[in-house]
Amino acid sequence: MSKQTSKRRGARTARTLSRASLAAAIYLAIGSAAFAQEAAPEPEQQAVTLDEVTVTAQKRTENLQKVPISLQVLDSQRLDDLNVTNFEDYVKYLPSVSYQTFGPGFAQIYMRGVASGGDGNHSGSLPSVGVYLDEQPITTIQGPLDIHIYDVERVEALAGPQGTLYGASSQAGTLRIITNKADPSGFEAGYTVGLDSTSNGGMGHVAEGFVNLPMGENAAIRLVGWKEKEAGYIDNVSGSRTYPSWDADSGGNGTEFNDDLAGKDYNDIDTMGARIGAVINLGDNWTISPTVMHQRTEAGGFFAFDPVVGDLEVTHFNPEYSDDQWTQAALTIEGKIGNFDVTYAFAHLDRDVDGASDYSDYAFWYDTLAGYGAYFYDNDGNLVNPSQYIQFRDQYKKASHEIRISSPQENRVRFVGGFFFQQQDHDIQQDYRIDGIADFLHVTGWPNTIWLTKQFREDDDQAVFGEVSFDFTDRLTGTLGARHFQADNSLKGFFGYSAGYSGSTGEAACFDPADFNGAPCTNLDKKVDESGTIGKANLTFQVDDTKMVYVTWSEGFRPGGINRRGTLPPYLSDYLTNFEIGWKTTWADNRFSFNGSVFRQDWEDFQFSILGANGLTEIKNANQAQIDGMELELNWAASYNLSIGGGVAFYDAKLTDNYCGFTDAEGNPVTDCADPEAPSGTQLPVTPKFKGNLIARYSFDLAGGEAYWQAALSHVGERKSDLRLLERSILGDLGAYTTADFSAGFRKNDWSVDLYVSNLFDERAEIFKFTACGETVCGASGVDPVYTDGQVYTATIRPRTVGIRFSQSF
């Protein structure tokens, strides 16, 4: 019985007309920029150069152009220019990043093609990309915190394994969100208010503000708050569903209706939050920086549509919502012991996600295919409506400690090293319900619950890490790094049916009759631990003050874990080995930068999640894969008025062994089989072969202030929806798409107003394609006259949105 809502998404064909219109729009935008430039000559006294970007990717402050990492950065100004407010807004301008999403707070992030298409299950693999808020990891098993982007200094995307400095969940890369810090040097404040309208949807609004309050010469407090409403754009349209086994003569009429739940734009989002940060300078050498951040996101509805029902439409029969609230407390202490810099970073995260989702697809398809509904009746023996729904509650706790020390950066030999400890707890409750079922059928103590998952998962890891750099000459530097880790994963609790069912799940399989967190007993209690060492080697050559090339070998890892079906073996760690050549260059007196890298990555025994028997997620190791790629980025200060920037990524990600779909008794993947589910050479899912973006911004003097036009394009190539060929054929490919965002605005003195349109040509960009109960069930063809090709949902980006914002600073 399927007890995990499998979510695989995305798909509609990219529109040729939109691309043609897009090209025309860019031509007009640049043309009007050139015309305006003639009208407003460049001031001779203004030096035309690129701004210097400072990053802390290597856990020390450096100029971006001096960091030998494929590193993309969206600084504070660029985030404002692009009207970025959330994860989906900024990720489209990071070519190395791909993702799938089930709604706000449930994104699965991938980098550099290291993607198997896992379903993000609560008992699945840890993420392969780490997400950090300042010094603190904020990745949870079902997705990172979806932080409202306001008063943020920059977003950094570190592509490739970052295992030596960032650890287990940075196998393929790391995303870092760096907030603005409290500043004792002076008072500062600002606010923004805005309205927007979404095509096929409703109205949204936003209000944001911050204040920086000095508390004497050595201390300050920074207060930040936000409240945003994002309009819904998916309609739950009226409809009915007939269950073959729900006999009208046995208490039902065989058909259910959704009239009481039908409504337009029902997937709206309300977000509110606040951040308070302080800085206390203890003399010249020590600083204490505590921060507390809280956010609550309430989302309604479903964030995908059913093309059979209609564009941006579904027909669902049970309530759907999520309430995601979290608090992140952090403390950073920085200082000096002699000439050595010392940093201690602590973070504690509490995240609670409550919600409900419609699961009637599962009930309908299993009843249609196998008469499943005939098993569900009330205490009088009458068949009941077999439609299912899920009520869930996920509670996460994460605590991390890191202490590190680094030597003076000007030394010929220098190092950074430290210790890291992290504990992640996940209290899982998934309650699958059918109203009115007999006492005999429900899990003991849980009326109307046909299946219950009540488990506690713990992931602990600790590590010692370090990197040492040596300047062979004033131009040539070598770096060696390593991380030795110990990782533990445990899963304990209850999953399954009532005592009325036999089998390897539920009450029939319990070995400890004692109550477990409200569940009737315990039928799973397993643990796995492992240790290992990964490394890094880098050689950097500074050609001159503005040009650098580097060669890197690096490793990343992801710990193994427990399958919640106790009869399956644990899944093993997977490792990623990266070989990379890169360059960072600036030209024309710092008016033009051109950065890039080429690389090969070998992914060993990678973890692959599927919906197995009874719809339970199973994680298996799926042999070997190889990713060849190239990433390029350019920025050009064309004139005082005009700046152009962009980035592209090319990936060839494929299996190098057969995926047979099963492992041996020790959990090792089997490659020798007559009919592999995905043969050697199969393209990995989710990541396109090409992704890129281009941003052009033109500003000019107007009425004593400054006005601007901006055009931003993003293109994502065609992607595969699944690794396995059969499932891929059912879901279909994810089509290529191009989106365009345009904005214009005016700033004068301390205020500004911006007009913008996102997704100008209203693309139905295919982010994710999935079924609710496994492709071979919900994707079955020819079973239902309406769903002749099964029932496959498509998750898409927000439709065209037009908005206006007013900002003021003090």
Side-chain angles (χ1 to χ4, degrees):
M1 183 172 185
S2 169
K3 291 313 148 199
Q4 162 61 23
T5 307
S6 168
K7 308 237 173 182
R8 295 195 169 90
R9 262 322 103 172
R12 209 179 259 249
T13 309
R15 302 175 183 178
T16 305
L17 178 59
S18 293
R19 294 180 189 160
S21 303
L22 184 57
I26 287 294
Y27 176 82
L28 291 174
I30 295 177
S32 57
F35 175 82
Q37 186 177 352
E38 293 178 4
E42 176 185 326
E44 295 183 3
Q45 72 273 18
Q46 179 72 35
V48 180
T49 61
L50 295 171
D51 293 332
E52 180 178 312
V53 178
T54 300
V55 298
T56 52
Q58 297 190 114
K59 304 207 172 182
R60 54 180 178 265
T61 303
E62 300 172 285
N63 183 339
L64 168 66
Q65 292 301 104
K66 304 295 184 181
V67 181
I69 296 175
S70 182
L71 175 61
Q72 300 147 358
V73 179
L74 299 174
D75 62 17
S76 177
Q77 186 61 55
R78 182 58 59 87
L79 292 170
D80 287 343
D81 291 347
L82 294 172
N83 193 41
V84 169
T85 62
N86 57 37
F87 168 78
E88 291 192 46
D89 288 339
Y90 68 74
V91 74
K92 64 184 174 183
Y93 298 109
L94 301 174
S96 63
V97 182
S98 300
Y99 74 101
Q100 298 174 323
T101 184
F102 313 139
F106 295 94
Q108 302 299 307
I109 306 173
Y110 310 98
M111 294 185 75
R112 277 195 169 177
V114 182
S116 61
D119 64 1
N121 180 263
H122 48 74
S123 300
S125 301
L126 287 168
S128 63
V129 174
V131 181
Y132 280 71
L133 175 65
D134 295 319
E135 292 279 350
Q136 304 88 39
I138 57 170
T139 307
T140 61
I141 188 66
Q142 290 185 277
L145 305 181
D146 193 354
I147 293 174
H148 182 80
I149 302 298
Y150 177 71
D151 196 44
V152 167
E153 182 179 339
R154 64 185 181 276
V155 174
E156 300 177 358
L158 290 63
Q162 306 298 322
T164 54
L165 290 182
Y166 291 97
S169 286
S170 291
Q171 178 190 46
T174 302
L175 291 178
R176 303 181 70 230
I177 301 169
I178 311 299
T179 61
N180 286 322
K181 306 300 187 295
D183 183 0
S185 65
F187 174 84
E188 185 184 10
Y191 69 90
T192 296
V193 292
L195 292 172
D196 60 68
S197 175
T198 298
S199 296
N200 303 297
M203 296 292 296
H205 57 262
V206 65
E208 309 160 318
F210 77 93
V211 59
N212 184 85
L213 297 170
M215 310 292 287
E217 295 182 356
N218 295 311
I221 294 176
R222 193 176 190 95
L223 305 172
V224 186
W226 56 91
K227 188 176 189 302
E228 181 181 26
K229 181 178 182 60
E230 298 175 75
Y233 52 87
I234 302 291
D235 299 338
N236 189 16
V237 301
S238 296
S240 63
R241 173 166 271 171
T242 299
Y243 295 87
S245 296
W246 184 17
D247 188 351
D249 295 331
S250 299
N253 60 11
T255 301
E256 68 171 338
F257 301 88
N258 74 335
D259 294 343
D260 57 334
L261 294 174
K264 293 182 64 63
D265 313 327
Y266 86 131
N267 65 324
D268 55 342
I269 306 170
D270 288 291
T271 300
M272 63 182 66
R275 183 176 78 242
I276 178 170
V279 62
I280 304 170
N281 295 325
L282 304 177
D284 295 332
N285 293 330
W286 290 90
T287 300
I288 300 175
S289 303
T291 303
V292 177
M293 186 172 181
H294 177 79
Q295 181 173 290
R296 182 173 187 176
T297 301
E298 297 177 290
F302 190 65
F303 286 81
F305 68 95
D306 185 342
V308 173
V309 178
D311 181 39
L312 301 179
E313 293 180 340
V314 295
T315 298
H316 280 187
F317 296 86
N318 292 287
E320 296 171 291
Y321 66 90
S322 69
D323 184 352
D324 182 0
Q325 52 183 320
W326 51 265
T327 300
Q328 170 92 348
L331 175 67
T332 302
I333 301 174
E334 300 171 286
K336 283 184 176 292
I337 299 178
N339 290 328
F340 294 92
D341 294 320
V342 179
T343 301
Y344 168 71
F346 162 77
H348 181 82
L349 169 67
D350 276 314
R351 182 186 185 190
D352 294 336
V353 184
D354 297 292
S357 59
D358 181 57
Y359 207 40
S360 60
D361 291 352
Y362 172 88
F364 170 75
W365 283 97
Y366 271 96
D367 189 45
T368 301
L369 291 169
Y372 223 47
Y375 297 100
F376 303 127
Y377 45 86
D378 61 22
N379 287 328
D380 296 325
N382 299 312
L383 289 173
V384 301
N385 181 351
S387 180
Q388 289 192 41
Y389 60 97
I390 307 171
Q391 294 179 341
F392 58 87
R393 190 211 66 207
D394 290 285
Q395 295 180 309
Y396 308 87
K397 292 185 184 295
K398 179 195 287 275
S400 63
H401 304 263
E402 180 174 300
I403 184 167
R404 64 179 183 269
I405 185 170
S406 58
S407 61
Q409 296 185 42
E410 63 271 15
N411 289 358
R412 186 176 185 184
V413 180
R414 54 197 176 274
F415 71 89
V416 57
F419 300 92
F420 176 81
F421 170 79
Q422 178 176 255
Q423 178 177 326
Q424 303 182 73
D425 298 336
H426 185 186
D427 190 348
I428 304 160
Q429 179 177 303
Q430 302 277 319
D431 182 5
Y432 294 76
R433 301 172 64 85
I434 299 176
D435 289 338
I437 57 174
D439 296 341
F440 170 75
L441 295 174
H442 72 238
V443 175
T444 301
W446 293 75
N448 297 323
T449 295
I450 189 67
W451 174 286
L452 176 68
T453 298
K454 189 75 171 167
Q455 297 173 334
F456 188 82
R457 172 174 176 162
E458 185 173 331
D459 292 276
D460 298 339
D461 61 285
Q462 43 270 330
V464 56
F465 63 91
E467 289 187 358
V468 178
S469 298
F470 174 69
D471 295 333
F472 295 100
T473 70
D474 59 353
R475 292 175 179 254
L476 181 64
T477 300
T479 300
L480 293 175
R483 188 181 191 98
H484 180 75
F485 65 89
Q486 171 75 41
D488 306 291
N489 170 263
S490 64
L491 188 63
K492 181 178 181 179
F494 175 88
F495 69 105
Y497 301 105
S498 73
Y501 292 84
S502 61
S504 60
T505 69
E507 295 183 56
C510 283
F511 51 79
D512 184 348
D515 174 278
F516 180 85
N517 288 352
C521 50
T522 299
N523 59 17
L524 175 65
D525 186 1
K526 286 194 172 184
K527 180 178 181 179
V528 63
D529 56 67
E530 57 189 322
S531 62
T533 302
I534 57 173
K536 171 184 175 181
N538 172 271
L539 198 62
T540 300
F541 182 67
Q542 196 72 42
V543 179
D544 57 33
D545 290 342
T546 61
K547 299 172 184 63
M548 173 258 281
V549 294
Y550 65 88
V551 179
T552 296
W553 166 85
S554 57
E555 293 180 307
F557 79 103
R558 180 170 49 168
I562 301 298
N563 272 294
R564 65 169 167 154
R565 181 182 290 279
T567 55
L568 295 176
Y571 51 95
L572 308 176
S573 295
D574 56 5
Y575 289 83
L576 184 72
T577 303
N578 174 58
F579 304 90
E580 180 173 343
I581 299 173
W583 60 93
K584 299 281 183 77
T585 65
T586 56
W587 307 79
D589 296 325
N590 199 32
R591 294 181 61 171
F592 183 85
S593 69
F594 176 54
N595 302 336
S597 64
V598 293
F599 60 87
R600 166 165 289 183
Q601 298 184 137
D602 294 318
W603 198 6
E604 180 183 353
D605 295 342
F606 67 85
Q607 297 166 16
F608 183 49
S609 300
I610 65 170
L611 284 185
N614 299 116
L616 292 180
T617 294
E618 300 178 1
I619 302 95
K620 299 179 180 181
N621 293 91
N623 308 323
Q624 323 307 318
Q626 178 178 290
I627 303 103
D628 295 324
M630 178 170 61
E631 295 161 349
L632 305 173
E633 182 182 31
L634 63 86
N635 288 283
W636 180 30
S639 70
Y640 170 66
N641 305 85
L642 178 64
S643 63
I644 298 174
V648 296
F650 302 87
Y651 299 116
D652 181 16
K654 60 188 178 185
L655 290 178
T656 53
D657 273 324
N658 292 336
Y659 171 59
C660 295
F662 55 91
T663 59
D664 62 20
E666 286 73 41
N668 298 301
V670 174
T671 61
D672 186 11
C673 54
D675 187 20
E677 296 187 25
S680 177
T682 298
Q683 182 180 339
L684 298 184
V686 182
T687 301
K689 291 188 174 182
F690 172 78
K691 180 182 178 182
N693 65 80
L694 180 65
I695 304 168
R697 184 180 180 89
Y698 180 80
S699 59
F700 54 95
D701 294 334
L702 179 67
E706 181 183 79
Y708 76 90
W709 296 90
Q710 178 174 279
L713 312 178
S714 178
H715 176 79
V716 176
E718 183 180 87
R719 292 135 293 143
K720 303 302 180 182
S721 56
D722 198 280
L723 177 69
R724 300 158 296 173
L725 300 188
L726 174 60
E727 284 76 7
R728 182 182 295 184
S729 69
I730 294 171
L731 294 172
D733 290 340
L734 302 169
Y737 64 89
T738 302
T739 59
D741 300 337
F742 285 87
S743 59
F746 178 75
R747 171 179 291 277
K748 187 173 183 179
N749 300 324
D750 62 357
W751 61 269
S752 64
V753 62
D754 300 272
L755 301 171
Y756 64 90
V757 53
S758 301
N759 192 11
L760 176 65
F761 301 112
D762 203 21
E763 284 279 350
R764 292 294 176 268
E766 299 175 339
I767 302 301
F768 192 20
K769 285 186 175 181
F770 64 93
T771 62
C773 48
E775 293 82 7
T776 56
V777 178
C778 286
S781 61
V783 175
D784 179 83
V786 176
Y787 291 100
T788 57
D789 293 318
Q791 190 169 6
V792 177
Y793 291 102
T794 299
T796 185
I797 63 173
R798 180 169 290 274
R800 177 173 51 241
T801 300
V802 179
I804 182 171
R805 292 196 175 203
F806 177 84
S807 302
Q808 191 171 18
S809 58
F810 307 95

